Amino acid sequence: MESTPQEEAEGQAIVQVLAVVLERLVSANSHLAASQQEETKFHALRAPAIGILQYLERIHKYASCSKECFILALIYIDRLIQQNNF
């Protein structure tokens, strides 16, 4: 089903908000990585070549995730932040 230009713009706006939230969360947590002694499966040698916004835009475009999916992601991330006092 094709989305209207207005729906596409709304989806893009939500993706941009989610990207900003994730960027801030990564930035706030970057000091934790330096202080951890033990490496885990979640550590990488270098940051990915693609940014968070571009990654989310690709998910929005190719994975057919609805606006609601991204809004739920924002809600879950907000709850995570509140529970962990970020």
Side-chain angles (χ1 to χ4, degrees):
M1 184 170 121
E2 291 288 320
S3 59
T4 66
Q6 180 179 353
E7 291 172 335
E8 190 62 33
E10 290 171 354
Q12 185 62 30
I14 294 168
V15 165
Q16 289 175 348
V17 169
L18 181 57
V20 168
V21 170
L22 288 173
E23 288 281 356
R24 288 183 180 172
L25 191 58
V26 168
S27 178
N29 288 327
S30 63
H31 72 280
L32 295 176
S35 66
Q36 283 185 340
Q37 306 274 333
E38 182 181 336
E39 289 195 10
T40 68
K41 294 177 184 179
F42 296 102
H43 288 85
L45 297 176
R46 63 188 189 302
I50 186 171
I52 292 174
L53 176 60
Q54 293 79 18
Y55 190 74
L56 291 174
E57 286 173 337
R58 291 178 62 84
I59 291 172
H60 180 252
K61 183 175 182 178
Y62 297 113
S64 300
C65 286
S66 65
K67 295 181 293 187
E68 294 80 6
C69 176
F70 290 101
I71 291 171
L72 282 173
L74 280 167
I75 291 169
Y76 284 126
I77 291 169
D78 182 59
R79 289 180 182 174
L80 176 72
I81 289 169
Q82 288 178 9
Q83 286 181 341
N84 293 294
N85 298 320
F86 285 115

